């Protein structure tokens, strides 16, 4: 198997697994219990909170663990809306956010809020000028993703948050794809609130967090016990949280080396694909993209067929977001960057990880070249448009 779908999810790192194991077996205490097992579990959560906070240079007491990125996104949007409704009911975001944001915004619209979804450029960027122009006196929140999950474009976060702050507006970023992959310093970047997820950085699935800057009195979304400082009720997922913390610590330690390695392999992959495969284009920015992300469109093929053929050769890839893999309509992200539907349908996302090797890239490029040639040879459009030229 060659796994090139790390943006969908990652395997749990052996170090993470080792850190989690006792919390799944012998150390079974509830962190709220008043005996040693409970105290131990609570101490383990405290340590994980410190490890997670360190990755974004945040204060540990401003990290609130959740069941993942989706919950963090839902929580931050709905609770900010509730908290600030007396000031205004207008929210600004973009048209290529993850559905965890987009569908929550739809829900808020159905409930009396107004949303501006900024269009993105050909490479997937929103500009500070666009944001400035969209701000209204009743704007209460700006939410722009840190890096896109399909095309890997990294937004100019510092410049965007500066615009929001000049107008006294809170700035949130969905950093699920960037967290643990590239450096993030919340204070330096002017981030008020940030969503992250454990399973994108070799931690377990079903765990994530919301960072909320000191001074923001965000209302809770789940009601019940006093866990997470009264911010997120429910018995803590101790193994998940410990695993997330361990994954954050490993990501921090290996970040520079991993970024360098992935960037080099990704650039090699992009160069090879564009050189060897005709009628191919790279989607997203050449420069400001996640180290492990490559997203291509191939004319005259269906991405879904390409995926099956790759799968038959033991190669895992995707056409876009894993969350919408069962949908047959073209990706909203590729539409947002202006791709016509036929090119959007012929897209392929290859996302590299810390264990991806050069040999694997060679195998994948060879496989792609062969599969595309075969698929195109039976494509009516290809034969009609290209071969008869
Ligand atoms: N936001 C982005 C940008 C994502 O890529 C994802 C998952 O792919 C999510 C949110 C949802 O995170 P989770 O799977 O932890 O719910």
């Amino acid at each position: 198997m060659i796994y090139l779908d790390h943006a969908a999810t990652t395997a749990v790192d052996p170090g993470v697994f080792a850190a989690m194991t006792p919390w799944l077996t012998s150390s079974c205490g509830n962190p709220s219990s008043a005996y040693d097992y409970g105290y131990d579990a609570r101490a383990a959560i405290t340590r994980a909170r410190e490890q997670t906070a360190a990755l974004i240079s945040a204060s540990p007491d401003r990290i609130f663990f959740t069941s993942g990125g989706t919950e963090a996104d839902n929580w931050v949007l709905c609770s900010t809306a509730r908290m600030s409704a007396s000031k205004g009911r207008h929210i600004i975001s973009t048209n290529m956010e993850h559905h965890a944001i987009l569908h929550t915004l739809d829900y808020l619209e159905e409930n009396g809020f107004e949303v501006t979804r900024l269009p993105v450029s050909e490479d997937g960027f929103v500009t500070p000028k666009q944001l400035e122009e969209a701000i209204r006196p009743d704007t209460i929140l700006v939410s722009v993703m840190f890096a896109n999950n399909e095309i890997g474009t990294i937004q100019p976060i510092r410049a965007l948050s500066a615009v929001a702050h000049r107008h006294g507006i809170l700035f949130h970023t969905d950093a699920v794809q960037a967290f643990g992959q590239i450096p993030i310093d919340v204070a330096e970047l002017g981030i008020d609130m940030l969503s992250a997820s454990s399973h994108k950085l070799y931690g377990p699935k079903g765990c994530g967090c919301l960072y909320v800057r000191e001074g923001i009195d965000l209302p809770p979304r789940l009601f019940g016990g006093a866990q997470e400082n009264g911010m997120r009720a429910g018995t803590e997922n101790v193994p998940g949280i410990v695993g997330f913390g361990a994954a954050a610590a490993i990501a921090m330690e290996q970040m520079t080396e991993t970024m360098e390695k992935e960037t080099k392999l990704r650039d090699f992959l992009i160069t090879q694909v564009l050189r060897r495969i005709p009628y191919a284009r790279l989607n997203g920015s050449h420069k400001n993209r996640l180290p492990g992300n490559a997203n291509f469109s191939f004319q005259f093929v269906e991405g879904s067929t390409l995926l099956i053929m790759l799968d038959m050769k033991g190669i895992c890839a995707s056409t876009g977001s894993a969350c919408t893999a069962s949908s047959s309509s073209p990706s909203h992200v590729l539409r947002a960057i202006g791709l016509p539907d036929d090119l959007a349908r012929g897209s392929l996302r290859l996302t590299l990880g810390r264990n991806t090797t050069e040999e694997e890239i060679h195998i994948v490029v060879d496989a792609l070249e062969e599969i595309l040639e075969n698929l195109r040879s039976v494509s009516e459009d290809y034969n009609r448009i290209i071969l008869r030229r």
Side-chain angles (χ1 to χ4, degrees):
M1 258 325 193
I2 296 179
Y3 187 75
L4 287 189
D5 203 14
H6 291 81
T9 197
T10 53
V12 165
D13 183 278
V16 171
F17 182 67
M20 289 174 72
T21 310
W23 306 100
L24 288 160
T25 51
S26 51
S27 305
C28 61
N30 184 318
S32 302
S33 295
Y35 43 81
D36 274 0
Y37 272 174
Y39 300 144
D40 287 353
R42 200 178 313 171
I45 291 180
T46 302
R47 172 151 171 68
R49 205 182 302 284
E50 288 163 1
Q51 291 168 316
T52 308
L55 199 46
I56 51 172
S57 304
S59 167
D61 61 349
R62 303 312 298 171
I63 297 288
F64 303 100
F65 290 115
T66 64
S67 65
T70 300
E71 183 189 324
D73 284 344
N74 274 253
W75 178 11
V76 74
L77 295 183
C78 292
S79 288
T80 305
R82 184 148 67 90
M83 172 177 78
S84 309
S86 61
K87 285 195 221 140
R89 300 177 81 86
H90 179 233
I91 297 169
I92 301 173
S93 188
T94 78
N95 63 354
M96 66 164 205
E97 300 292 311
H98 189 271
H99 284 120
I101 292 286
L102 291 179
H103 290 168
T104 310
L105 292 173
D106 294 344
Y107 166 80
L108 288 171
E109 270 180 327
E110 286 159 18
N111 286 276
F113 287 84
E114 278 184 73
V115 178
T116 301
R117 293 169 184 77
L118 297 174
V120 297
S121 70
E122 211 186 324
D123 284 343
F125 294 111
V126 281
T127 64
K129 183 166 176 281
Q130 272 179 291
L131 177 58
E132 183 83 53
E133 285 168 4
I135 286 176
R136 308 189 328 203
D138 61 342
T139 307
I140 52 171
L141 177 68
V142 173
S143 177
V144 176
M145 72 198 317
F146 206 111
N148 185 264
N149 47 307
E150 293 190 30
I151 57 171
T153 299
I154 301 170
Q155 297 295 344
I157 294 294
R158 190 187 288 111
L160 295 170
S161 71
V163 173
H165 290 164
R166 255 204 314 280
H167 294 267
I169 300 165
L170 291 173
F171 184 85
H172 165 255
T173 186
D174 172 345
V176 166
Q177 291 290 336
F179 191 85
Q181 313 296 332
I182 54 175
I184 301 177
D185 180 323
V186 282
E188 196 216 326
L189 294 173
I191 295 167
D192 296 312
M193 295 176 286
L194 172 149
S195 310
S197 177
S198 149
H199 72 106
K200 309 291 186 184
L201 58 145
Y202 308 88
K205 295 169 184 57
C207 190
C209 74
L210 181 65
Y211 157 78
V212 183
R213 175 177 58 73
E214 174 94 61
I216 300 174
D217 204 7
L218 194 74
R221 188 94 202 294
L222 296 184
F223 303 101
Q227 291 90 353
E228 295 300 287
N229 214 6
M231 288 284 275
R232 199 269 183 183
T235 303
E236 296 91 337
N237 169 7
V238 183
I241 291 170
V242 168
F244 188 16
I250 295 170
M252 194 159 149
E253 198 187 297
Q254 302 189 353
M255 190 178 290
T256 311
E257 194 190 323
T258 306
M259 279 176 60
E260 265 176 35
K261 182 189 154 186
E262 286 181 8
T263 306
K264 207 165 138 220
L265 284 181
R266 177 205 67 193
D267 288 346
F268 177 65
L269 168 67
I270 293 173
T271 315
Q272 287 296 306
V273 166
L274 297 183
R275 186 175 297 160
R276 286 170 51 183
I277 301 174
Y279 310 106
R281 61 160 270 158
L282 178 72
N283 297 317
S285 165
H286 276 261
K287 219 170 122 226
N288 291 321
R289 75 186 302 140
L290 287 172
N293 177 290
N295 187 312
F296 303 99
S297 278
F298 300 106
Q299 248 180 303
F300 312 110
V301 295
E302 284 287 328
S304 50
T305 318
L306 192 50
L307 278 196
I308 297 169
M309 308 291 275
L310 285 169
D311 186 29
M312 281 161 65
K313 288 184 178 286
I315 298 165
C316 307
S318 73
T319 51
S321 168
C323 306
T324 51
S326 56
S327 157
S328 59
S329 51
S331 138
H332 71 282
V333 173
L334 299 181
R335 275 184 166 164
I337 61 170
L339 280 199
D341 281 0
D342 61 325
L343 273 185
R345 280 212 184 82
S347 72
L348 181 74
R349 180 184 72 177
L350 298 170
T351 44
L352 287 53
R354 60 168 76 126
N355 296 322
T356 305
T357 64
E358 189 174 331
E359 197 198 344
E360 287 179 324
I361 301 295
H362 280 289
I363 296 171
V364 170
V365 177
D366 286 348
L368 270 176
E369 195 177 31
E370 185 194 316
I371 293 169
L372 280 156
E373 224 175 272
N374 288 340
L375 288 178
R376 283 173 173 164
S377 70
V378 292
S379 153
E380 271 180 33
D381 284 349
Y382 185 72
N383 282 296
R384 186 169 44 83
I385 301 168
I386 304 300
L387 297 185
R388 289 200 195 138
R389 240 181 217 168

